[in-house]
Amino acid sequence: MAAEVVVTGIGLVTSLGADRESTWAAIRAGCRGLAPLSLFALPGRPKPIVAEVRAIPRRKGVPKRALQGSARTDRLAIAAAREAVQDAQLDEGMLARAAVILGASSAGMLEGEEYFAKALAGSHDATRRELLGGIEAASSTARVALALGALGPRATFTTACSSSAHAIGHALDLLRDGVVDVAIAGAGDGLCRLAVAGFLALENVSPTGCRPFAKDRDGMTLGEGAAVLVLERADRARRKPYARVLGYGAACEAFHATSTDPSGRGAEAALRAALRDARVDAASIGYVNAHAPGTKDNDAAEATAIARVLPHRPPVSSTKALHGHALGAAGAVEAAITCLAVAEGFLPGQGRTDVEGDLDVVMEGRSARAEHAVSLSLAFGGNDVALVLGAVS
Amino acid sequence: MKITGTGLVAPSDGAPEEVLLDGRTLLLRRAASPSSINARDARRLTRPALFALAACKEALGDAATLEAMGLALGSGFGSVEATRLALEGLLERADLISPTSFVASVRHDAGSAVARALSIHGPSAALSARRLSFEQALGWALIQLRRERAPAMLVVGADEVSPLLARSLARARLRSERIVDGEGAGTLLLERDDSPRPALARIERVVEGTGSVDDLIGAVRRELGGRFDAVFTDEEGSARRAECAARVAAAFSCEKVAVGERTGHLAAGGALVAVEAVRSLRERTLVYAREADGAYCAYALERP
């Protein structure tokens, strides 16, 4: 029988807080970490509302060489990873065996943009290593492994907004197969001009802040942040776990480069696959942390899929309303929040809104125990992922 | 698991193309536009997507695409040229970015394009790990099959040459100027053992880790056994890499085939190695790749 896999450490850096505790406290209080973009200028565009991390914390115990020449995304990921391994009370020996499995989307593109600007101008300055590292998706994974002294398998998933959900799912598989006995999984992803201007060009960004599932929703709120989970076999855990990781399902919509299949077919297939993998009954799902970025087509398709697979109408919320859409890190941030929700018996709200359709959307956070919960992540190109998490008895 | 199909878009043979950029001569091996893709699609797709689609079509051959088939893409950079195009406008003014080039710059664009073209609805992911990109995608795909999440998986590695990036890497002394950059794609079609299609080769798992060449050799012995009659690798371009390949071959007393010398360097070059290893399969072939920081992947191909 496959080993039970649990989450024993969580690290978070979001626009709501610089660590797990402050982020979770803000979520419980229903705070929104959204404000006009200040990280960089976008000439020709008004400043959009974004979820920006104001100051990236520097955790103790991170070797200087892991930070030297690092990108903003790398520093976000390292800060969350360090917090997670301390939380899990991993010692050096366990860390040395650990796998590091991260997701990436924008990755170091903020620094990569500087590289391209200099390279296109023919400047020798374009050869600075820190700028070149910025355009590589696997850079954060290598740096997190270096920062933690982790020598196990490494992988970087690059399916945009579902990247880090894939990373957590893959870490679950490696643990169940006995390839490793501890895995560090998640992502950091920083804002960059390419992503913000690109989504503005696609007319997908809300001018006022996203309202997932609302009748009058008008787009997403781009954000940044990092979340890293420590996954271990339950029989090796040194502390009481937050949650069990029960199932991983992925599917491809094969519909459009950016638009979600309105039938909800991809999200439905991922959700059914995760439930099958977890061997849990759909009726036992007591909370869904939806991907729902607040765009017209995504939220409608996702609501359709949830209603079809989970007809018992479990409580649903999209916490992107509070912490924005952290792109490559979104899946991990939301999986971390879902773990905290099942651990603390508190379902996060997303704020008051006039909801479209028949979902039971949690507006004000409330105390309730969810035996099983789902975190859904949908992405560009229709790469959809679902994770099933369970409460620890 | 069975490998039941292979597809390849290889860089051109013969002498590498010489490209002069900012007073430097770069050596490139470009791939010709695949004839299996019509001109309209070829214009719409980024080069990694074009190569990936052609290689996947070849690997599928006359096999029907199964609805639940999955797709794993390994790519070191995605389309660097699409990113350059997107940024050219953006760096001047934020409202000048084209939505098309932004979408094409997304790192898994090639995988999404293949999935749409071939109606693939099973588990799909893209992985990036420098020159281990294809091998990691292969490892993920094998897990999907083993866990019966899909009846078949297309595993494709694809990358394009970017003269701009090649110039910067050489200038930064991050690699030798003698390295020849390549581009192209390679695909393996993997199926579960219950598939009725004949196997070209068998594969079970990808071994991954970090360490020295001795650590790699030890992991291979432990996880894959010690008997091989050939070692395939893309290790080339420096005396150190060639020495490593020779040590691995010597450790298993078998022939070494360094495919990279013919294909040029590309992050997803492991895909081209895999296809060549299957197509010239001995009884039991070891395939491996290593990164400069010691991360490695290895797998065994066996005659069915």
Side-chain angles (χ1 to χ4, degrees):
Chain A
M1 188 170 166
E4 185 172 67
V5 176
V6 293
V7 176
T8 56
I10 296 177
L12 272 166
V13 183
T14 67
S15 65
L16 294 168
D19 55 21
R20 176 187 65 257
E21 207 169 302
S22 56
T23 294
W24 181 241
I27 285 172
R28 285 190 73 119
C31 299
R32 299 185 91 193
L34 317 182
L37 175 69
S38 69
L39 190 61
F40 45 78
L42 281 177
R45 290 277 190 193
K47 283 183 179 176
I49 302 291
V50 296
E52 214 169 273
V53 173
R54 294 293 164 186
I56 303 172
R58 290 194 72 158
R59 312 264 191 238
K60 284 182 184 167
V62 177
K64 272 188 188 161
R65 63 197 180 108
L67 292 167
Q68 215 161 32
S70 58
R72 180 175 177 81
T73 286
D74 301 335
R75 294 191 293 279
L76 284 164
I78 288 169
R82 191 69 205 160
E83 185 187 15
V85 301
Q86 279 174 339
D87 190 29
Q89 299 166 18
L90 297 185
D91 61 29
E92 278 184 20
M94 294 178 81
L95 275 173
R97 298 194 302 274
V100 178
I101 317 289
L102 300 188
S105 183
S106 296
M109 190 48 74
L110 187 62
E111 291 74 11
E113 287 158 359
E114 198 183 331
Y115 158 71
F116 276 104
K118 290 180 188 301
L120 290 168
S123 163
H124 272 264
D125 210 24
T127 59
R128 277 164 47 207
R129 290 178 183 217
E130 57 267 38
L131 299 184
L132 283 164
I135 60 172
E136 205 176 26
S139 171
S140 280
T141 312
R143 283 185 182 275
V144 166
L146 181 64
L148 302 179
L151 299 173
R154 298 197 299 239
T156 309
F157 284 82
T158 56
T159 51
C161 314
S162 60
S163 303
S164 50
H166 263 306
I168 294 167
H170 187 54
L172 168 67
D173 282 341
L174 294 183
L175 282 152
R176 288 199 289 207
D177 286 353
V179 176
V180 290
D181 55 10
V182 57
I184 316 292
D189 219 9
L191 282 164
C192 66
R193 294 169 189 84
L194 180 62
V196 178
F199 280 106
L200 284 167
L202 291 171
E203 298 179 347
N204 256 343
V205 178
S206 168
T208 53
C210 67
R211 294 181 298 283
F213 297 121
K215 282 180 183 166
D216 64 347
R217 63 187 182 275
D218 57 2
M220 66 169 80
T221 298
L222 289 161
E224 61 179 359
V228 171
L229 310 182
V230 174
L231 277 69
E232 293 185 77
R233 286 173 42 166
D235 56 354
R236 304 273 174 93
R238 294 180 175 211
R239 51 153 292 165
K240 187 188 174 191
Y242 290 98
R244 294 178 293 152
V245 188
L246 299 170
Y248 163 42
C252 189
E253 295 181 9
F255 176 74
H256 189 268
T258 56
S259 300
T260 313
D261 182 345
S263 71
R265 172 180 161 158
E268 178 180 349
L271 189 44
R272 289 195 192 282
L275 290 168
R276 206 164 40 242
D277 193 48
R279 298 180 184 182
V280 304
D281 184 3
S284 72
I285 299 297
Y287 170 63
V288 178
N289 188 302
H291 178 72
T295 58
K296 283 280 179 203
D297 60 348
N298 181 104
D299 294 17
E302 195 176 352
T304 302
I306 293 169
R308 229 166 11 226
V309 183
L310 308 171
H312 61 291
R313 294 184 75 240
V316 176
S317 62
S318 167
T319 47
K320 286 188 179 73
L322 312 182
H323 53 67
H325 188 343
L327 299 178
V333 168
E334 290 150 29
I337 290 168
T338 309
C339 286
L340 291 165
V342 297
E344 300 218 357
F346 183 88
L347 308 185
Q350 59 169 64
R352 288 241 151 254
T353 191
D354 190 5
V355 172
E356 182 181 69
D358 194 33
L359 290 183
D360 174 13
V361 174
V362 185
M363 297 187 200
E364 308 288 340
R366 62 176 188 252
S367 294
R369 181 175 162 79
E371 182 61 31
H372 296 131
V374 168
S375 180
L376 261 175
S377 299
L378 279 53
F380 258 22
N383 284 260
D384 302 341
V385 177
L387 297 169
V388 177
L389 302 158
V392 176
S393 50
Chain B
M1 302 300 165
K2 292 177 177 180
I3 296 172
T4 57
T6 60
L8 185 66
V9 176
S12 57
D13 286 337
E17 178 189 348
E18 292 189 10
V19 176
L20 191 67
L21 198 61
D22 291 347
R24 299 229 170 194
T25 302
L26 302 167
L27 299 174
L28 308 174
R29 284 192 189 277
R30 294 188 198 269
S33 281
S35 57
S36 59
I37 311 293
N38 67 49
R40 186 173 155 271
D41 284 344
R43 274 196 304 276
R44 278 190 307 116
L45 297 170
T46 60
R47 286 179 72 75
L50 177 67
F51 302 147
L53 180 56
C56 286
K57 279 186 163 184
E58 186 190 351
L60 280 167
D62 54 3
T65 312
L66 302 166
E67 162 117 353
M69 178 183 278
L71 176 74
L73 166 74
S75 180
F77 292 100
S79 177
V80 180
E81 288 301 297
T83 306
R84 181 181 64 78
L85 277 174
L87 286 171
E88 268 180 349
L90 166 64
L91 294 170
E92 195 177 329
R93 260 181 50 174
D95 55 349
L96 292 183
I97 188 170
S98 113
T100 313
S101 60
F102 167 58
V103 172
S105 75
V106 173
R107 296 174 197 270
H108 67 297
D109 164 74
S112 306
V114 170
R116 284 196 302 280
L118 301 177
S119 291
I120 290 170
H121 290 281
S124 168
L127 289 105
S128 178
R130 301 177 186 167
R131 60 192 299 158
L132 306 181
S133 299
F134 172 79
E135 289 78 0
Q136 293 202 348
L138 179 61
W140 182 80
L142 286 165
I143 293 174
Q144 307 316 302
L145 289 171
R146 209 159 47 233
R147 294 199 164 270
E148 301 189 355
R149 293 173 181 151
M153 294 289 301
L154 279 167
V155 190
V156 56
D159 271 310
E160 68 178 341
V161 291
S162 164
L164 188 77
L165 187 59
R167 181 200 65 184
S168 301
L169 290 167
R171 259 190 190 170
R173 298 183 189 282
L174 285 171
R175 63 175 204 219
S176 157
E177 287 190 24
R178 286 175 299 136
I179 283 189
V180 182
D181 260 354
E183 65 178 5
T187 299
L188 298 181
L189 172 59
L190 305 180
E191 297 188 63
R192 293 204 306 249
D193 290 340
D194 53 8
S195 155
R197 282 160 50 84
L200 304 173
R202 292 191 54 80
I203 180 171
E204 292 307 323
R205 55 178 303 221
V206 175
V207 173
E208 294 177 47
T210 307
S212 64
V213 179
D214 288 336
D215 292 330
L216 161 68
I217 292 167
V220 168
R221 277 196 210 287
R222 209 166 45 245
E223 310 281 341
L224 302 174
R227 188 182 53 79
F228 299 100
D229 43 25
V231 173
F232 277 65
T233 178
D234 73 342
E235 291 223 278
E236 46 80 39
S238 73
R240 195 174 55 79
R241 285 188 179 279
E243 186 196 326
C244 168
R247 275 180 65 193
V248 175
F252 298 104
S253 310
C254 60
E255 177 197 359
K256 179 199 86 173
V257 185
V259 178
E261 286 159 17
R262 294 194 298 280
T263 62
H265 175 84
L266 66 159
L272 280 61
V273 179
V275 170
E276 185 139 341
V278 171
R279 289 183 178 178
S280 51
L281 188 66
R282 278 63 159 181
E283 283 304 313
R284 200 158 188 272
T285 298
L286 172 65
V287 186
Y288 84 90
R290 281 178 75 242
E291 250 304 332
D293 64 359
Y296 59 78
C297 289
Y299 56 93
L301 295 172
E302 291 182 16
R303 192 179 285 280

